[in-house]
Amino acid sequence: MRVLFRVRGSNAIMCGIVGYVGPRPARELLLGGLARLEYRGYDSAGLAIGQNGALRSVRQVGKIADLAAVVDDGSESFPGSYGVGHTRWATHGAPTTPNAHPHFDCTGEVAIVHNGIIENWVELKAWLEGRGHGFASDTDTEVAAHLIEEMSTLPLAQAVAEVLSRCEGALALAVIRRSDPGLVVGGRKGSPLVIGRGSGENFLASDIPAFIAHTRRMMVVPEDRVVEVRSDSVRITDLSGVEQEPEEQDVEWDMEAAEKGGYPTFMLKEIYEQPQAVAETLLGRIGPTGEPMLDGTGLNAEVAKDVDKVFVVACGTSYHAGMMAKYALERWAKIPVEVDLSSEFRYRDPVLNPRSLVIGISQSGETADTLGAVRYARGQGAKVAAVTNVVGSSLAREAHIVLQTRAGPEIGVAASKTFIAQMALLQLLGLHMAIERGVMTTAQASGPVNALRSLPDRLEEVLELSDEMLELANRWRDVRDFFFLGRSVDYPAALEGALKLKELAYVRAEGYAAGEMKHGPIALIEPGVVVFGVATDRRLRSKMFSNLSEMKARGGTVVTLVGEEDVGEAAVTSDLVIPLPEDAALIGAVLAVVPLQLFSYHLATIKGLNVDQPRNLAKTVTVE
Ligand code: AGP
């Protein structure tokens, strides 16, 4: 059956998994498969290979080439025709060799690799330690190896099914056991797992590129399923052991398309990964009664209560996230917040003290301007918090408090999913601080918390606007003058919309506070100028609509992004209205950014520009 295999809203995959069973040397197939998954970024790698009842493994921080130098040294020290391999994008535990996968049980009988997050790993680890298990790493994954050890008398597939049942969160597992030669068992619960069907050999992987060079026959492992992979058979069962009829498909992608999950570019893939990036960032951070949970970040109740002022320092898109954070922290936690461009912060002699909290926001965690700002803050005795997407980054290492977004590696130079993940985490921080400081009860915070919970679904809805934004990009492909206007929390959303148009489509665009236009910039409005108005904050809609009518009155073409309930009113002062899901608790401004991302993406694509690596830009700006 010919199917163009398209993964919509595919998982924000953080790690790479490869499994192989067949007649060929497993080390070659595993290393080759891991190399095909390199594009997503990782900090360590490893593999385990079975041969005649023995398991051999190697893992280390660094690149696949370093691993190959050890494994493929010609000494045949890694014989064996079945095994598992892994590239790790650290989420729990720093990027060190002991934290690299595979992980093992106490006896070395079981080798396991994992993609995702085991939410309840702390209590499972405590239970296992109580039963005498010793741990060699501080990862969530190792817990699964010891759980399988507890079930050493069960068939491996049944033990893996039990692990999926007991672990909460997102798991894709691949496991081998010394006493089960020629068998790789996989398990899927919330993280992707696919099978490559070869002739006399089979593959298991977190993503298609790992095996597409060897076979185009593939199967998707469904949710809550276990798969037994042997060289001549693949058997899928549900968690109670009932066999499931797998559906084989042909992959139509070439290698390059496969690395992008079927999307034409990493940028578009990452725009569509935004729902999953938010879901994974919030995973395990909202308790059963709706309370924000930031355990393990260093932000304890004492610090939360003691802070008397917050300073946010960031650059570019992260700066816009910081501006939005100001609204959350001041509105909910009643803490005064100042937001600075990192490159300006330390030159204005900010007044800091030990009760100051300086939050550095940086997806890379390596931006020199932001590192300089937080180092200055530490020197002034302030507490420093990091909001970053890279575990073990310089910013994370130099902060007292680390709030990790879990958007997965972001390959596109222009930020998308890391920004949305920052927004979600910063709003959760605002609610957490409000509750810790006694300004809000958990019950009073339930509205904004539920709005955050629904954010992934709302993001899926606004992604449906892509065709409309493509139509506008075609209509305005020759326009050279754009304004993006907003008030309150919609103002940073407008700034981000303008930045995306500049950096992706190389078009001059100004983000401006809508109320400020009449103090000068309105002189630029004339026929041919396109004005995007972000008007999701319902309290200010009438002021916003009157600002936009001033633009329209002077010949500007006005496009208003507004909650569905205000579409009729907005239509009076707009040439076009883009409806968004109802705003709830600052979520509207976050949602408004997505159609603006898509507009800039489509305009850049129409112009034939490289949306993954725009000219003059770097993914990490390590110079001041
Ligand atoms: C993002 O689209 C921009 N390319 C850029 O402004 C970026 O946001 C800025 O350089 C900050 O990067 P950081 O989040 O890694 O610190």
Side-chain angles (χ1 to χ4, degrees):
M1 172 175 67
R2 285 167 48 84
V3 174
L4 174 61
F5 181 74
R6 181 169 221 56
V7 183
R8 170 61 199 281
S10 64
N11 281 298
I13 297 171
M14 296 175 185
C15 305
I17 288 176
V18 185
Y20 173 76
V21 190
R24 295 192 276 173
R27 65 177 186 278
E28 289 169 18
L29 281 302
L30 296 178
L31 288 168
L34 292 177
R36 295 291 183 204
L37 300 181
E38 270 192 307
Y39 62 89
R40 284 172 297 187
Y42 61 100
D43 37 53
S44 57
L47 53 78
I49 293 173
Q51 167 79 3
N52 301 332
L55 297 189
R56 294 294 311 278
S57 85
V58 60
R59 55 188 184 163
Q60 56 192 37
V61 173
K63 295 304 174 192
I64 304 295
D66 308 324
L67 195 67
V70 175
V71 173
D72 235 353
D73 61 0
S75 66
E76 285 302 312
S77 56
F78 278 81
S81 60
Y82 73 99
V84 292
H86 189 265
T87 51
R88 178 172 185 251
W89 173 270
T91 52
H92 286 75
T96 60
T97 297
N99 287 340
H101 300 207
H103 286 286
F104 301 88
D105 65 324
C106 301
T107 67
E109 171 80 8
V110 174
I112 189 168
V113 295
H114 164 228
N115 178 23
I117 295 167
I118 300 174
E119 264 183 73
N120 57 334
W121 69 286
V122 175
E123 52 257 41
L124 288 171
K125 183 169 182 176
W127 177 76
L128 288 161
E129 286 172 330
R131 295 176 60 83
H133 291 264
F135 283 79
S137 79
D138 48 15
T139 65
D140 53 341
T141 304
E142 193 184 352
V143 162
H146 292 279
L147 283 176
I148 292 173
E149 181 185 1
E150 282 282 318
M151 297 177 276
S152 56
T153 58
L154 294 183
L156 186 53
Q158 190 178 341
V160 170
E162 183 58 25
V163 167
L164 292 184
S165 300
R166 293 192 63 178
C167 291
E168 295 164 15
L171 298 89
L173 302 173
V175 192
I176 57 175
R177 189 164 66 178
R178 196 166 27 205
S179 53
D180 294 279
L183 172 64
V184 172
V185 173
R188 173 179 179 166
K189 177 180 180 179
S191 278
L193 207 54
V194 290
I195 295 161
R197 294 298 317 261
S199 55
E201 63 183 13
N202 288 307
F203 300 80
L204 182 64
S206 47
D207 203 356
I208 291 167
F211 54 71
I212 197 171
H214 307 289
T215 178
R216 288 181 174 276
R217 297 290 298 157
M218 60 86 61
M219 299 174 187
V220 175
V221 177
E223 276 298 298
D224 293 333
R225 293 294 185 273
V226 172
V227 58
E228 296 163 80
V229 180
R230 292 180 174 83
S231 59
D232 57 359
S233 68
V234 170
R235 181 171 182 269
I236 295 179
T237 50
D238 64 16
L239 301 190
S240 53
V242 175
E243 188 153 359
Q244 313 283 308
E245 191 51 47
E247 186 188 337
E248 285 200 9
Q249 307 174 52
D250 281 336
V251 179
E252 294 298 304
W253 294 340
D254 59 21
M255 174 55 66
E256 193 197 348
E259 289 182 351
K260 293 164 186 152
Y263 290 98
T265 61
F266 283 112
M267 186 76 209
L268 191 61
K269 174 173 178 279
E270 287 152 9
I271 288 173
Y272 277 88
E273 281 181 343
Q274 292 181 121
Q276 188 68 23
V278 167
E280 296 207 2
T281 296
L282 296 178
L283 200 60
R285 289 171 161 161
I286 297 177
T289 57
E291 73 281 13
M293 297 193 317
L294 294 177
D295 309 344
T297 61
L299 179 63
N300 56 41
E302 185 194 344
V303 171
K305 290 186 182 101
D306 184 50
V307 170
D308 66 359
K309 186 168 184 179
V310 169
F311 297 80
V312 176
V313 292
C315 305
T317 294
S318 294
Y319 173 73
H320 301 149
M323 288 176 71
M324 285 192 175
K326 172 184 173 72
Y327 293 95
L329 285 160
E330 290 188 337
R331 185 176 299 180
W332 293 327
K334 305 302 178 207
I335 302 176
V337 180
E338 289 187 30
V339 186
D340 281 83
L341 288 169
S342 298
S343 53
E344 294 295 318
F345 178 66
R346 58 193 190 283
Y347 306 114
R348 69 171 178 83
D349 299 321
V351 178
L352 301 173
N353 64 51
R355 296 184 63 194
S356 304
L357 177 63
V358 176
I359 303 176
I361 305 174
S362 172
Q363 65 81 20
S364 65
E366 302 299 341
T367 297
D369 289 324
T370 302
L371 290 175
V374 300
R375 285 166 185 159
Y376 172 83
R378 281 199 67 139
Q380 297 294 307
K383 275 261 181 313
V384 169
V387 175
T388 185
N389 197 50
V390 180
V391 174
S393 62
S394 301
L395 179 63
R397 289 199 308 272
E398 297 183 29
H400 302 102
I401 296 161
V402 180
L403 297 163
Q404 197 73 50
T405 54
R406 302 172 186 148
E410 187 173 69
I411 311 300
V413 167
S416 53
K417 61 178 183 173
T418 54
F419 168 71
I420 297 288
Q422 288 167 352
M423 285 316 313
L425 191 50
L426 286 161
Q427 291 200 16
L428 193 70
L429 172 65
L431 294 165
H432 176 77
M433 297 282 280
I435 293 168
E436 290 297 328
R437 297 166 69 91
V439 176
M440 289 175 91
T441 64
T442 302
Q444 290 167 331
S446 60
V449 168
N450 290 333
L452 277 176
R453 278 193 170 125
S454 70
L455 182 54
D457 291 339
R458 300 288 81 75
L459 286 166
E460 290 288 4
E461 289 175 38
V462 291
L463 284 165
E464 299 296 339
L465 289 166
S466 183
D467 291 345
E468 285 87 339
M469 303 322 285
L470 173 59
E471 197 278 322
L472 293 182
N474 274 309
R475 185 185 309 183
W476 294 326
R477 58 184 300 157
D478 299 321
V479 171
R480 298 301 299 163
D481 261 324
F482 288 86
F483 273 88
F484 292 76
L485 307 181
R487 282 175 171 262
S488 177
V489 71
D490 289 328
Y491 172 36
L495 292 175
E496 178 58 13
L499 178 60
K500 282 289 162 293
L501 194 58
K502 285 182 263 198
E503 60 183 353
L504 288 178
Y506 312 158
V507 175
R508 200 163 291 100
E510 283 209 57
Y512 234 88
E516 188 61 14
M517 284 297 286
K518 55 186 176 295
H519 299 290
I522 196 168
L524 293 172
I525 303 301
E526 59 187 14
V529 174
V530 172
V531 179
F532 282 95
V534 183
T536 70
D537 188 334
R538 302 207 67 224
R539 301 170 309 161
L540 300 169
R541 64 183 182 281
S542 51
K543 287 189 188 306
M544 190 63 196
F545 294 155
S546 63
N547 292 150
L548 293 173
S549 65
E550 293 155 12
M551 306 302 125
K552 190 169 166 53
R554 287 160 180 79
T557 302
V558 172
V559 188
T560 305
L561 293 90
V562 70
E564 277 154 353
E565 57 214 310
D566 297 323
V567 167
E569 193 178 350
V572 174
T573 58
S574 312
D575 295 287
L576 273 166
V577 178
I578 297 171
L580 300 170
E582 278 83 29
D583 172 20
L586 305 181
I587 293 298
V590 179
L591 295 175
V593 172
V594 175
L596 300 180
Q597 291 170 340
L598 289 164
F599 174 75
S600 299
Y601 174 84
H602 288 313
L603 186 52
T605 305
I606 288 165
K607 296 171 72 175
L609 301 176
N610 180 343
V611 289
D612 282 343
Q613 281 109 25
R615 69 185 182 192
N616 309 338
L617 297 188
K619 185 62 184 171
T620 305
V621 183
T622 53
V623 294
E624 291 200 51

